[in-house]
Amino acid sequence: MTPYTPEQVSTIDKLIRANGIGVVYIVAHDPAGPVKIGKSTFLSVRLDGLQTGNPSQLYVFAAFLASHGQIRLMEARTHAALQGARLRGEWFAMPVDEAKQACRAAIKRYRPTAFKAPDVQIEGRSGTSTQKTKKPTNRSAFRAHYKKLVKEMSLRVPQCPSKASRNKWALPK
């Protein structure tokens, strides 16, 4: 059982961001366990956060893509199915292979129509051109609202006193 490379984790992150989806992941320092089964929308950042509190090097061994609502359900159902092996929180005393099987069973049971990622190529090292789908945002409306708020707040800021009246603002000696 080989873990994902940092390049593969980065590719997963790009796919997650491009499609507005999430991931249920299996992380461990050794294929024999223990494993952490969790959910994220930015896998590399989550792995870095977990690594901060762990003295052993952690690796991603599996990643199951799904919509945000589905990843919550998949994670909760997998945790419920593995309740007997729970160590603490989202950590389970089991090998990676068993954890993968439990996640796959939760996917089959609670997600009858498997998630099919859209055909999106992610740039590789060869520099191939890609067609990335963009998540619809309302950035221009947000910027306009932000500028309006800044303008309103700037009107409430007292103006600097003129040179003639500056002496009355000076601190007494």
Side-chain angles (χ1 to χ4, degrees):
M1 174 76 32
T2 58
Y4 292 166
T5 64
E7 292 82 19
Q8 289 171 322
V9 172
S10 177
T11 301
I12 292 168
D13 280 339
K14 289 177 184 177
L15 183 62
I16 289 169
R17 288 295 193 210
N19 295 294
I21 58 176
V23 64
V24 173
Y25 60 83
I26 299 175
V27 169
H29 72 277
D30 183 38
V35 299
K36 181 182 186 315
I37 301 172
K39 65 184 184 310
S40 179
T41 55
F42 208 165
L43 189 55
S44 60
V45 172
R46 183 67 181 129
L47 184 61
D48 289 344
L50 291 171
Q51 189 61 63
T52 299
N54 198 317
S56 302
Q57 180 66 39
L58 294 174
Y59 302 99
V60 177
F61 282 92
F64 301 95
L65 301 174
S67 70
H68 293 292
Q70 289 175 336
I71 62 171
R72 287 187 200 109
L73 183 63
M74 285 170 45
E75 181 200 34
R77 300 296 180 167
T78 305
H79 287 180
L82 300 176
Q83 185 63 33
R86 188 182 299 262
L87 291 173
R88 183 177 187 171
E90 296 181 334
W91 288 91
F92 298 90
M94 63 178 21
V96 170
D97 290 335
E98 288 181 29
K100 276 186 176 183
Q101 289 173 355
C103 283
R104 286 189 183 120
I107 291 169
K108 285 180 185 175
R109 185 176 302 145
Y110 301 104
R111 190 177 70 180
T113 57
F115 174 77
K116 184 180 182 321
D119 291 334
V120 178
Q121 290 182 342
I122 299 173
E123 283 189 31
R125 292 185 178 180
S126 61
T128 59
S129 63
T130 62
Q131 291 181 336
K132 294 184 181 179
T133 58
K134 290 190 176 183
K135 183 179 173 183
T137 60
N138 201 358
R139 182 175 275 181
S140 59
F142 176 75
R143 282 187 177 172
H145 179 70
Y146 178 76
K147 284 182 180 181
K148 181 181 173 186
L149 288 175
V150 169
K151 187 176 182 180
E152 288 174 3
M153 288 190 302
S154 66
L155 294 175
R156 293 186 216 143
V157 175
Q159 297 296 320
C160 181
S162 64
K163 287 184 180 180
S165 63
R166 193 171 288 172
N167 290 340
K168 69 179 182 182
W169 293 96
L171 294 173
K173 293 183 182 180

CSV table of all heavy atoms in Angstrom, one decimal, residues 37 75-94 102:
chain,number,residue,atom,x,y,z
A,37,ILE,N,-9.8,9.1,9.7
A,37,ILE,CA,-10.8,9.2,8.6
A,37,ILE,C,-11.5,10.5,8.8
A,37,ILE,O,-12.2,10.7,9.8
A,37,ILE,CB,-11.8,8.0,8.6
A,37,ILE,CG1,-11.1,6.7,8.4
A,37,ILE,CG2,-12.9,8.2,7.5
A,37,ILE,CD1,-11.9,5.5,8.6
A,75,GLU,N,-18.7,10.5,5.8
A,75,GLU,CA,-17.8,10.5,7.0
A,75,GLU,C,-18.5,10.0,8.2
A,75,GLU,O,-18.0,9.1,9.0
A,75,GLU,CB,-17.2,11.8,7.2
A,75,GLU,CG,-16.2,11.9,8.4
A,75,GLU,CD,-16.0,13.2,9.0
A,75,GLU,OE1,-16.9,14.1,9.0
A,75,GLU,OE2,-14.9,13.4,9.5
A,76,ALA,N,-19.7,10.5,8.4
A,76,ALA,CA,-20.5,10.1,9.6
A,76,ALA,C,-20.9,8.6,9.6
A,76,ALA,O,-20.8,8.0,10.6
A,76,ALA,CB,-21.8,11.0,9.7
A,77,ARG,N,-21.3,8.1,8.5
A,77,ARG,CA,-21.7,6.7,8.3
A,77,ARG,C,-20.4,5.8,8.5
A,77,ARG,O,-20.5,4.8,9.1
A,77,ARG,CB,-22.3,6.5,7.0
A,77,ARG,CG,-23.6,7.3,6.8
A,77,ARG,CD,-24.7,6.9,7.7
A,77,ARG,NE,-25.8,7.7,7.5
A,77,ARG,CZ,-27.0,7.5,8.0
A,77,ARG,NH1,-27.2,6.5,8.8
A,77,ARG,NH2,-28.0,8.3,7.7
A,78,THR,N,-19.3,6.2,8.0
A,78,THR,CA,-18.1,5.4,8.1
A,78,THR,C,-17.7,5.4,9.6
A,78,THR,O,-17.3,4.3,10.1
A,78,THR,CB,-16.9,6.0,7.3
A,78,THR,OG1,-17.4,6.1,5.9
A,78,THR,CG2,-15.7,5.1,7.3
A,79,HIS,N,-17.7,6.5,10.3
A,79,HIS,CA,-17.4,6.6,11.7
A,79,HIS,C,-18.3,5.7,12.5
A,79,HIS,O,-17.9,5.0,13.4
A,79,HIS,CB,-17.4,8.0,12.2
A,79,HIS,CG,-16.3,8.9,11.8
A,79,HIS,ND1,-16.2,10.2,12.1
A,79,HIS,CD2,-15.2,8.6,11.0
A,79,HIS,CE1,-15.1,10.7,11.6
A,79,HIS,NE2,-14.5,9.7,10.9
A,80,ALA,N,-19.6,5.7,12.2
A,80,ALA,CA,-20.6,4.9,12.9
A,80,ALA,C,-20.3,3.4,12.7
A,80,ALA,O,-20.4,2.6,13.6
A,80,ALA,CB,-22.0,5.3,12.4
A,81,ALA,N,-20.0,3.0,11.4
A,81,ALA,CA,-19.7,1.6,11.1
A,81,ALA,C,-18.4,1.1,11.8
A,81,ALA,O,-18.3,0.0,12.2
A,81,ALA,CB,-19.6,1.4,9.6
A,82,LEU,N,-17.5,2.0,12.1
A,82,LEU,CA,-16.2,1.7,12.7
A,82,LEU,C,-16.2,2.0,14.2
A,82,LEU,O,-15.1,2.1,14.8
A,82,LEU,CB,-15.1,2.3,12.0
A,82,LEU,CG,-14.9,2.0,10.5
A,82,LEU,CD1,-13.8,2.8,9.9
A,82,LEU,CD2,-14.7,0.5,10.3
A,83,GLN,N,-17.3,2.2,14.8
A,83,GLN,CA,-17.3,2.7,16.2
A,83,GLN,C,-16.5,1.8,17.2
A,83,GLN,O,-15.9,2.2,18.1
A,83,GLN,CB,-18.8,2.8,16.7
A,83,GLN,CG,-19.0,3.3,18.1
A,83,GLN,CD,-18.5,4.7,18.2
A,83,GLN,OE1,-18.6,5.5,17.3
A,83,GLN,NE2,-18.0,5.1,19.4
A,84,GLY,N,-16.5,0.5,16.9
A,84,GLY,CA,-15.8,-0.5,17.8
A,84,GLY,C,-14.3,-0.3,17.7
A,84,GLY,O,-13.6,-0.7,18.7
A,85,ALA,N,-13.8,0.2,16.6
A,85,ALA,CA,-12.3,0.4,16.5
A,85,ALA,C,-11.9,1.8,16.8
A,85,ALA,O,-10.7,2.1,16.6
A,85,ALA,CB,-11.9,0.0,15.1
A,86,ARG,N,-12.8,2.6,17.3
A,86,ARG,CA,-12.4,4.1,17.5
A,86,ARG,C,-11.4,4.1,18.7
A,86,ARG,O,-11.6,3.6,19.7
A,86,ARG,CB,-13.7,4.9,17.8
A,86,ARG,CG,-13.4,6.4,17.9
A,86,ARG,CD,-14.7,7.1,18.3
A,86,ARG,NE,-15.7,7.0,17.3
A,86,ARG,CZ,-16.0,7.9,16.3
A,86,ARG,NH1,-15.3,8.9,16.2
A,86,ARG,NH2,-17.0,7.6,15.5
A,87,LEU,N,-10.4,4.9,18.4
A,87,LEU,CA,-9.4,5.2,19.5
A,87,LEU,C,-9.8,6.5,20.2
A,87,LEU,O,-10.0,6.5,21.4
A,87,LEU,CB,-8.0,5.4,18.9
A,87,LEU,CG,-7.3,4.1,18.3
A,87,LEU,CD1,-6.0,4.4,17.7
A,87,LEU,CD2,-7.1,3.1,19.5
A,88,ARG,N,-9.9,7.6,19.4
A,88,ARG,CA,-10.2,8.9,19.9
A,88,ARG,C,-10.6,9.8,18.8
A,88,ARG,O,-9.8,9.8,17.8
A,88,ARG,CB,-9.0,9.4,20.7
A,88,ARG,CG,-9.3,10.7,21.4
A,88,ARG,CD,-8.2,11.2,22.2
A,88,ARG,NE,-8.6,12.4,22.9
A,88,ARG,CZ,-7.9,13.0,23.8
A,88,ARG,NH1,-6.7,12.5,24.2
A,88,ARG,NH2,-8.3,14.0,24.4
A,89,GLY,N,-11.7,10.5,18.9
A,89,GLY,CA,-12.1,11.4,17.8
A,89,GLY,C,-12.3,10.7,16.5
A,89,GLY,O,-13.1,9.7,16.4
A,90,GLU,N,-11.5,11.0,15.5
A,90,GLU,CA,-11.6,10.4,14.2
A,90,GLU,C,-10.5,9.4,13.9
A,90,GLU,O,-10.2,9.0,12.8
A,90,GLU,CB,-11.5,11.5,13.1
A,90,GLU,CG,-12.7,12.5,13.2
A,90,GLU,CD,-12.7,13.6,12.1
A,90,GLU,OE1,-11.6,13.9,11.6
A,90,GLU,OE2,-13.7,14.1,11.8
A,91,TRP,N,-9.8,9.0,15.0
A,91,TRP,CA,-8.7,8.0,14.8
A,91,TRP,C,-9.2,6.6,15.2
A,91,TRP,O,-9.9,6.4,16.1
A,91,TRP,CB,-7.5,8.4,15.7
A,91,TRP,CG,-6.8,9.6,15.3
A,91,TRP,CD1,-7.0,10.9,15.6
A,91,TRP,CD2,-5.7,9.6,14.3
A,91,TRP,NE1,-6.1,11.7,14.9
A,91,TRP,CE2,-5.3,10.9,14.2
A,91,TRP,CE3,-5.0,8.6,13.7
A,91,TRP,CZ2,-4.2,11.3,13.3
A,91,TRP,CZ3,-3.9,8.9,12.8
A,91,TRP,CH2,-3.5,10.3,12.7
A,92,PHE,N,-8.8,5.7,14.3
A,92,PHE,CA,-9.3,4.3,14.5
A,92,PHE,C,-8.1,3.3,14.5
A,92,PHE,O,-7.2,3.5,13.7
A,92,PHE,CB,-10.3,3.9,13.3
A,92,PHE,CG,-11.5,4.8,13.3
A,92,PHE,CD1,-11.5,6.0,12.6
A,92,PHE,CD2,-12.6,4.4,14.0
A,92,PHE,CE1,-12.6,6.8,12.6
A,92,PHE,CE2,-13.7,5.3,14.0
A,92,PHE,CZ,-13.7,6.4,13.3
A,93,ALA,N,-8.2,2.3,15.3
A,93,ALA,CA,-7.2,1.2,15.4
A,93,ALA,C,-7.5,0.2,14.3
A,93,ALA,O,-8.1,-0.8,14.6
A,93,ALA,CB,-7.2,0.6,16.8
A,94,MET,N,-7.0,0.4,13.1
A,94,MET,CA,-7.2,-0.6,12.1
A,94,MET,C,-6.2,-0.3,10.9
A,94,MET,O,-5.7,0.9,10.8
A,94,MET,CB,-8.6,-0.5,11.5
A,94,MET,CG,-9.0,0.8,10.9
A,94,MET,SD,-10.7,0.8,10.3
A,94,MET,CE,-11.5,-0.4,11.1
A,102,ALA,N,-14.2,0.0,4.5
A,102,ALA,CA,-15.4,0.6,5.3
A,102,ALA,C,-15.9,1.9,4.5
A,102,ALA,O,-17.1,2.1,4.4
A,102,ALA,CB,-14.9,1.0,6.7
